Amino acid sequence: KYNGSKWRFLEHKGPVFAPAYEPLPEKVKFYYNGKPMKLSAPAEEVATFFAKMLDHEYTTKDIFRKNFYKDWRKEMTSEEKSIITDLKKCDFSEMNEYFKAQSEARKQMSKEEKQKIKEENERLLSEYGFCIMDNHRERIGNFRIEPPGLFRGRGDHPKMGMLKRRIRPEDVIINCSKDSKHPKPPPGTKWKEVRHDNKVTWLASWTENIQGSIKYIMLNPSSRIKGEKDWQKYETARRLKKCVDRIRTQYREDWKSKEMRIRQRAVALYFIDKLALRAGNEKEEGETADTVGCCSLRVEHIKLFPKMDEQEYVVEFDFLGKDSIRYYNKIPVEKRVFKNLQLFLENKQPEDDLFDRLNTSILNKHLQELMDGLTAKVFRTYNASITLQQQLKELTCCDDSIPAKLLSYNRANRAVAILCNHQRAPPKTFEKSMQNLQTKIDEKQNQLSAARKQLKAAKANHKASHDDKSKKAVEVKRKAVQRIEEQLMKLQMQATDREENKQIALGTSKLNYLDPRISVAWCKKWGVPIEKIYNKTQREKFAWAIDMAEKEF
DNA sequence: CGTAAGACTTGCCAGTAGGCTG
DNA sequence: CAGCCTACTGGCAAGTCTTACG
């Protein structure tokens, strides 16, 4: 790469701010202790955030309510503070109904009104949604600044319910090139800073008040700068492929090391490689939900079974990973790993670290020595991509129809998603949509038997008359049967696919782990149109791979 | 060194646009 | 042509890893 600079020229219009708060109409009242009470604008705004969430379960949770109440009080006038002393006595229901009515009204808007809003959005997008980076007009990923609201973390988050404050121009740092037309802050305001740092890719940033972390405005995945990075990531994974055998031999050797830290490192790496676990950085206690990855696993997260059913040396994993998604898996491991784990567990409490001599920085430093650019997450990318490739090879039958091939593709994708533990909550409408599909299949089946009957009749007719007309009729009917058979099969494939996908999310692996060149090559090889695999956005993101297109990869 | 800040990737999900169907 | 359904998109939280700092 050229001296670490990410661009030479960068020009943009700055971010779009959240719309200002619109006070509630007079008639919509907040009640305290049964009596109507007019709130000051700042207190009212925060109250509306809570009112909008009334239907959610988390507004009943203690931590959520406590955090909300604490932050809400900060927005109250001293008079309000003295009156409002108990959240339980607050009645937001009228506000809640008002917002429901509003969203109902939005749905009922006329076509013209909807059209107008759409046009306004398009205008905003064309004005603020693009930037110029090195001679290219590029799409910005997120050009809107996050609106204020109540923070809802995932899982059991200690900060749920806290007020996410409104971001003002004075909070925002702009990054652009010196010689560009600088974005103008809204009238009467100033940016926090305008800088010209071409060592980074972001266009604007601000500090968020919940975790104190920085949020960025960056480019869309279709941009050159993101695409190149993505390509680089897969190239690193390919380099790992070349030396993975050596690395595996090495860590197996390290299981026998005299040094505890090396054994721990080697066992952790084995898990990362075999199970595609995440690295597992340390987290600050009390700041986030209690989740772990490989290096931060605790004693309480694994159980050892010298014998389980037919298998020996089984390890049971049960922990919450990223986004508090549960990882549950029972796997047989090699004897040496098992013995090492027993050793690591000796004299420890459930809440102690399993790998007490290891953290991600030690592990990554070691990986860096094994291969340039190697880190823990490269294993996830590598194993995901190689699994896709193997599964595609195994599952694709050359004389399958396109729908059958697509089912194979999705199954290969699914194998990866399972490996990476990419789960989803079953869609709320899952049962119904499954039923709908079944109805369609039943209908199609009836159609098919009807068509078959007709074909039979046509054949009988032809046998009797032997004329050209009846022969044609047979052909027509035969075609019809064939067409319906195809349609039926397609529906059945869809049903199978959907059923198998109930709790599995394919999107994340498809977007972040699977080398798109594998998929593109597969499409080429089997004559499957690329649109069947990637939608428009995905094709834009993977344009670099689609352009390279070869039959083999 | 260890720790914090900074930059960038990965992750799930709710809301909605737009296609389909009765 | 409305209502329904689905696929997509955007939102933003939560990871990983690098860099800066004392």
Side-chain angles (χ1 to χ4, degrees):
Chain A
K1 290 238 68 180
Y2 45 104
N3 71 34
S5 43
K6 308 285 172 70
W7 46 263
R8 278 153 289 139
F9 181 80
L10 174 59
E11 180 170 283
H12 59 93
K13 299 272 276 189
V16 171
F17 287 89
Y21 176 63
E22 268 182 55
L24 292 172
E26 286 298 327
K27 61 175 183 5
V28 182
K29 294 208 164 58
F30 163 76
Y31 296 87
Y32 187 72
N33 215 358
K35 288 196 283 285
M37 175 174 175
K38 173 77 188 159
L39 296 171
S40 66
E44 186 187 88
E45 180 178 11
V46 178
T48 63
F49 299 153
F50 193 83
K52 282 178 187 166
M53 298 173 140
L54 237 43
D55 297 325
H56 277 116
E57 195 223 341
Y58 45 76
T59 54
T60 64
K61 290 195 175 173
D62 251 17
I63 302 179
F64 189 96
R65 295 174 67 88
K66 205 178 115 264
N67 286 333
F68 160 72
Y69 183 60
K70 189 173 163 210
D71 282 358
W72 186 29
R73 284 186 71 79
K74 293 181 197 155
E75 302 301 314
M76 295 179 190
T77 63
S78 46
E79 198 194 343
E80 286 165 342
K81 264 191 237 174
S82 68
I83 299 172
I84 300 174
T85 56
D86 184 356
L87 182 55
K88 283 205 289 292
K89 293 180 182 162
C90 295
D91 179 358
F92 303 96
S93 58
E94 213 168 272
M95 294 158 84
N96 177 262
E97 275 154 37
Y98 170 71
F99 291 120
K100 272 192 205 147
Q102 290 265 297
S103 85
E104 202 46 46
R106 222 169 305 129
K107 274 185 219 150
Q108 298 302 322
M109 274 185 315
S110 71
K111 243 192 294 185
E112 294 75 34
E113 288 170 301
K114 283 184 181 168
Q115 185 60 25
K116 219 171 153 191
I117 291 174
K118 200 179 154 195
E119 276 165 20
E120 173 61 14
N121 278 335
E122 279 165 9
R123 195 191 62 76
L124 221 58
L125 175 68
S126 65
E127 181 169 1
Y128 293 96
F130 294 84
C131 72
I132 308 283
M133 185 179 272
D134 294 350
N135 308 320
H136 284 287
R137 184 166 182 261
E138 303 261 39
R139 179 86 188 270
I140 297 172
N142 56 322
F143 58 90
R144 286 167 204 275
I145 284 192
E146 296 170 19
L150 301 185
F151 175 81
R152 171 67 182 117
R154 303 204 239 267
D156 224 342
H157 198 114
K159 298 195 171 183
M160 64 168 83
M162 281 175 63
L163 174 64
K164 200 169 81 166
R165 68 168 223 291
R166 180 179 289 275
I167 304 302
R168 307 152 305 153
E170 290 75 10
D171 302 314
V172 174
I173 302 174
I174 296 291
N175 193 30
C176 62
S177 51
K178 244 179 224 157
D179 56 346
S180 73
K181 220 199 272 163
H182 296 12
K184 279 199 284 292
T189 67
K190 282 199 270 230
W191 301 122
K192 179 176 182 184
E193 185 191 333
V194 177
R195 66 170 74 155
H196 313 288
D197 181 357
N198 72 353
K199 301 281 187 284
V200 297
T201 68
W202 53 267
L203 317 188
S205 74
W206 68 91
T207 301
E208 152 269 355
N209 67 305
I210 303 289
Q211 316 280 356
S213 65
I214 307 171
K215 300 264 186 163
Y216 301 92
I217 287 191
M218 290 186 189
L219 298 194
N220 187 277
S222 63
S223 60
R224 185 219 92 214
I225 207 155
K226 293 285 186 192
E228 267 176 15
K229 200 80 192 296
D230 207 35
W231 171 70
Q232 230 176 62
K233 173 181 80 184
Y234 291 113
E235 285 302 301
T236 308
R238 285 177 94 185
R239 281 194 291 119
L240 173 57
K241 183 181 184 191
K242 287 189 204 143
C243 62
V244 73
D245 288 339
R246 189 191 91 222
I247 290 172
R248 285 173 178 159
T249 310
Q250 154 100 243
Y251 68 61
R252 300 170 66 86
E253 205 50 44
D254 287 347
W255 293 340
K256 298 181 276 186
S257 169
K258 295 193 297 289
E259 287 187 74
M260 187 63 118
R261 55 172 196 100
I262 291 181
R263 287 192 185 208
Q264 292 195 355
R265 198 179 67 191
V267 170
L269 184 50
Y270 168 72
F271 286 161
I272 284 171
D273 184 21
K274 187 179 172 85
L275 304 174
L277 300 189
R278 295 187 187 82
N281 284 306
E282 304 97 297
K283 303 169 74 186
E284 225 175 319
E285 214 181 312
E287 294 292 302
T288 59
D290 178 22
T291 63
V292 297
C294 187
C295 294
S296 50
L297 279 170
R298 297 191 298 261
V299 170
E300 58 195 321
H301 296 133
I302 65 163
K303 270 195 200 137
L304 303 183
F305 299 92
K307 252 208 173 88
M308 176 185 272
D309 307 325
E310 300 301 289
Q311 296 170 315
E312 280 189 312
Y313 309 124
V314 174
V315 184
E316 182 192 68
F317 291 84
D318 191 352
F319 61 89
L320 296 182
K322 181 175 179 179
D323 292 309
S324 293
I325 298 291
R326 184 178 179 202
Y327 183 93
Y328 181 79
N329 202 359
K330 279 186 280 198
I331 59 142
V333 299
E334 298 182 47
K335 183 174 177 184
R336 207 159 248 136
V337 171
F338 197 83
K339 294 288 169 195
N340 269 313
L341 288 169
Q342 283 177 325
L343 184 67
F344 303 160
L345 291 177
E346 265 173 31
N347 303 315
K348 282 189 192 167
Q349 300 298 310
E351 63 278 11
D352 291 341
D353 285 339
L354 172 63
F355 302 116
D356 54 306
R357 306 286 175 85
L358 184 70
N359 61 40
T360 53
S361 113
I362 294 171
L363 179 67
N364 280 334
K365 209 159 281 166
H366 172 63
L367 293 176
Q368 180 60 45
E369 282 162 15
L370 295 177
M371 185 193 105
D372 180 44
L374 186 61
T375 62
K377 84 188 184 82
V378 179
F379 282 89
R380 245 167 109 81
T381 312
Y382 163 70
N383 281 312
S385 287
I386 201 83
T387 301
L388 179 76
Q389 204 163 31
Q390 279 161 195
Q391 290 288 308
L392 283 178
K393 201 171 168 190
E394 218 171 290
L395 298 173
T396 315
C397 302
C398 62
D399 39 38
D400 268 352
S401 62
I402 299 244
K405 288 216 175 75
L406 286 173
L407 178 61
S408 301
Y409 181 88
N410 281 345
R411 281 180 163 160
N413 193 163
R414 200 135 50 230
V416 175
I418 290 168
L419 175 72
C420 294
N421 200 38
H422 290 142
Q423 301 186 31
R424 63 167 181 176
K428 289 188 174 50
T429 54
F430 185 83
E431 289 309 329
K432 189 148 74 150
S433 88
M434 224 42 219
Q435 249 169 28
N436 288 351
L437 200 50
Q438 192 53 51
T439 315
K440 273 192 196 169
I441 289 175
D442 293 345
E443 274 169 21
K444 206 44 90 179
Q445 231 137 22
N446 292 338
Q447 259 185 51
L448 181 61
S449 44
R452 277 190 179 139
K453 248 179 228 154
Q454 286 184 30
L455 174 61
K456 213 170 174 184
K459 273 183 181 165
N461 188 18
H462 177 57
K463 218 166 191 175
S465 58
H466 277 291
D467 58 2
D468 258 13
K469 199 175 147 202
S470 66
K471 191 178 170 189
K472 238 179 216 153
V474 169
E475 264 326 294
V476 168
K477 295 296 174 195
R478 199 193 301 282
K479 283 252 171 65
V481 167
Q482 210 181 2
R483 205 183 61 237
I484 295 167
E485 274 174 344
E486 269 169 29
Q487 289 168 343
L488 177 62
M489 193 194 48
K490 188 172 168 185
L491 286 171
Q492 280 165 337
M493 297 283 167
Q494 262 179 31
T496 312
D497 197 30
R498 201 176 291 183
E499 186 64 48
E500 289 178 359
N501 224 25
K502 184 173 181 181
Q503 308 207 57
I504 316 270
L506 300 186
T508 300
S509 50
K510 199 175 196 174
L511 240 47
N512 299 301
Y513 289 105
L514 302 179
D515 191 324
R517 290 169 294 185
I518 296 170
S519 300
V520 172
W522 180 84
C523 283
K524 273 260 149 68
K525 182 169 178 183
W526 301 109
V528 176
I530 195 83
E531 304 80 50
K532 300 274 181 189
I533 300 288
Y534 291 139
N535 69 32
K536 187 164 145 283
T537 329
Q538 296 171 156
R539 290 199 298 278
E540 278 165 13
K541 166 166 175 160
F542 294 133
W544 61 269
I546 296 169
D547 293 343
M548 287 182 189
E550 305 267 328
K551 269 195 184 176
E552 294 294 334
F553 182 72

